[in-house]
Amino acid sequence: MTLWDVDLDKATNTRLTQMDYYCYRIFERQDEYSTILRGGMLFQEFMVDAWAATEQNRLGYIKREQTKLRAQNYKGFADLGLSGNKPDEMGQPVILPSSFIGGPRHMYEIYQDSMGITRYNHHPDIFLTMTANPRWEEITNSLLSHQQPHERPDLIARVFELKRKALMKEIQQKKVFGKTVGHVYTIEFQKRGLPHMHALIFLEKADKIHTPEQVDNVLCAEFPDEDKDLALFETIQKCMVHGPCGARKPNALCMNDGRCTKNYPKQYAESTSLGDGGYPVYRRRNDGRVFRYRNHLYTNIDVVPYNPYLTRMFN
């Protein structure tokens, strides 16, 4: 797409990619009324169509420019002859470069990178999950009139990326878990449309976790004291409780053949211990506390393990 120079009142030689154009259109500006951002469900459809058009445009370019991409130098064409298809049924193969996000070569490269990091630093020490909270103040304060968070996937994704960077800064620079020597992560989107990050953290040898006491220093699987830390308690109650499931709700989504696929509710444990395979059994004391949330009762055996410092900071 060719840009228009407002000062010179003529077209310029500068060109804009399709992705840049859509990013420009969905960015909110104070001096411009955006009909697109107020489209509700139609805005979501617009985002899907924009992604599909951009992806199709990239694939079309790759298909047309195979010689420039030196596709003839890639090996593996011999496998086509072993597929059992007749030569006139195989069609013209198109090789996707590793720069194509989500393509086979791209996925294979990042997998090999992850295995290389693991081979050098040995097993990861922290498996961390971070999910976007649609009630973050940065999201709710930026919504337009009468809007709900699910109507602004662009806003949720943008805030989540900022939170992700802030989280990794806490881990890498402020050394929440100790000195890190490497990390890998992947981002998924849940069925509700919220971005979701899985990260593996590799710690330096001196900071690796070997004892139950070290586990208790960075993780907790109990309700915090409501009187001493109300903000953390409310976050745990809303975001870090599993269920109800099991005998309390046999038809829960996590149930399969009469058992919870996440193995909840857990068993009470007076102290943390390191179980088989290096997975710890977290401390979940039977302190008699029972909490009600959304008409269900919960105790420590329903709590998902969390880091108090990061959970309090990122809500």
Side-chain angles (χ1 to χ4, degrees):
M1 176 177 294
T2 303
L3 297 182
W4 188 268
D5 193 317
V6 179
D7 296 330
L8 301 178
D9 195 25
K10 66 177 183 179
T12 68
N13 293 328
T14 306
R15 297 185 64 82
L16 190 68
T17 65
Q18 193 172 13
M19 173 66 75
D20 290 337
Y21 170 75
Y22 285 123
C23 290
Y24 176 86
R25 295 313 310 168
I26 66 175
F27 198 88
E28 185 177 2
R29 293 169 178 79
Q30 298 296 330
D31 57 347
E32 179 182 344
Y33 182 88
S34 176
T35 305
I36 296 177
L37 296 179
R38 292 169 172 82
M41 300 296 287
L42 288 176
F43 174 57
Q44 297 188 13
E45 185 174 350
F46 171 81
M47 295 288 288
V48 173
D49 290 343
W51 172 84
T54 304
E55 195 82 340
Q56 190 63 39
N57 191 18
R58 288 175 176 167
L59 290 171
Y61 172 81
I62 293 173
K63 183 178 180 180
R64 293 190 305 269
E65 304 295 341
Q66 286 285 284
T67 31
K68 288 185 179 179
L69 297 172
R70 298 182 179 178
Q72 68 275 11
N73 295 331
Y74 300 150
K75 297 181 180 180
F77 289 110
D79 296 337
L80 294 174
L82 301 177
S83 60
N85 295 329
K86 297 179 181 179
D88 58 345
E89 294 178 349
M90 290 189 296
Q92 180 66 35
V94 176
I95 305 299
L96 297 178
S98 59
S99 59
F100 183 78
I101 306 299
R105 295 184 65 221
H106 170 259
M107 300 298 290
Y108 182 75
E109 282 192 3
I110 59 177
Y111 168 75
Q112 290 295 332
D113 290 342
S114 300
M115 291 298 100
I117 294 173
T118 304
R119 189 180 305 111
Y120 184 81
N121 296 303
H122 305 292
H123 64 82
D125 301 280
I126 301 289
F127 175 63
L128 181 144
T129 300
M130 180 183 186
T131 305
N133 183 353
R135 298 301 174 187
W136 275 331
E137 292 183 358
E138 293 85 351
I139 295 177
T140 56
N141 293 341
S142 301
L143 293 173
L144 301 174
S145 179
H146 306 296
Q147 275 190 340
Q148 296 297 322
H150 69 269
E151 297 177 324
R152 293 293 303 278
D154 62 315
L155 187 59
I156 292 178
R158 189 176 297 130
V159 172
F160 178 78
E161 177 62 12
L162 294 173
K163 296 278 189 179
R164 184 198 67 78
K165 291 181 179 179
L167 174 69
M168 298 310 298
K169 182 178 180 180
E170 292 291 325
I171 295 175
Q172 291 181 291
Q173 298 184 15
K174 298 189 179 181
K175 303 176 182 178
V176 174
F177 302 118
K179 185 176 180 180
T180 61
V181 294
H183 73 275
V184 296
Y185 70 90
T186 182
I187 295 179
E188 305 169 349
F189 282 82
Q190 296 178 322
K191 292 181 180 179
R192 294 179 295 167
L194 298 177
H196 188 79
M197 179 181 74
H198 295 292
L200 296 177
I201 311 298
F202 298 84
L203 301 179
E204 195 176 53
K205 186 176 181 180
D207 293 321
K208 286 187 175 294
I209 300 174
H210 297 292
T211 64
E213 290 74 18
Q214 291 175 306
V215 175
D216 291 335
N217 288 335
V218 296
L219 290 173
C220 180
E222 299 177 322
F223 279 102
D225 193 321
E226 185 177 4
D227 298 326
K228 295 181 180 180
D229 200 336
L230 180 60
L232 179 61
F233 173 81
E234 291 179 345
T235 299
I236 300 305
Q237 191 178 46
K238 293 178 182 178
C239 306
M240 300 301 293
V241 174
H242 181 85
C245 60
R248 293 176 295 176
K249 192 175 180 181
N251 61 341
L253 295 177
C254 61
M255 297 293 289
N256 185 21
D257 294 332
R259 297 185 59 183
C260 174
T261 56
K262 311 300 180 184
N263 296 319
Y264 278 89
K266 301 291 187 178
Q267 299 295 322
Y268 286 112
E270 288 301 313
S271 60
T272 300
S273 61
L274 299 180
D276 297 335
Y279 292 97
V281 177
Y282 300 104
R283 179 178 61 189
R284 300 174 186 271
R285 291 167 290 190
N286 188 3
D287 52 14
R289 296 188 299 165
V290 180
F291 302 98
R292 178 180 293 274
Y293 183 67
R294 293 179 178 175
N295 297 324
H296 295 289
L297 300 178
Y298 296 99
T299 63
N300 287 337
I301 59 178
D302 301 304
V303 177
V304 178
Y306 63 94
N307 177 269
Y309 172 77
L310 294 177
T311 304
R312 185 187 304 107
M313 173 177 292
F314 292 98
N315 186 20

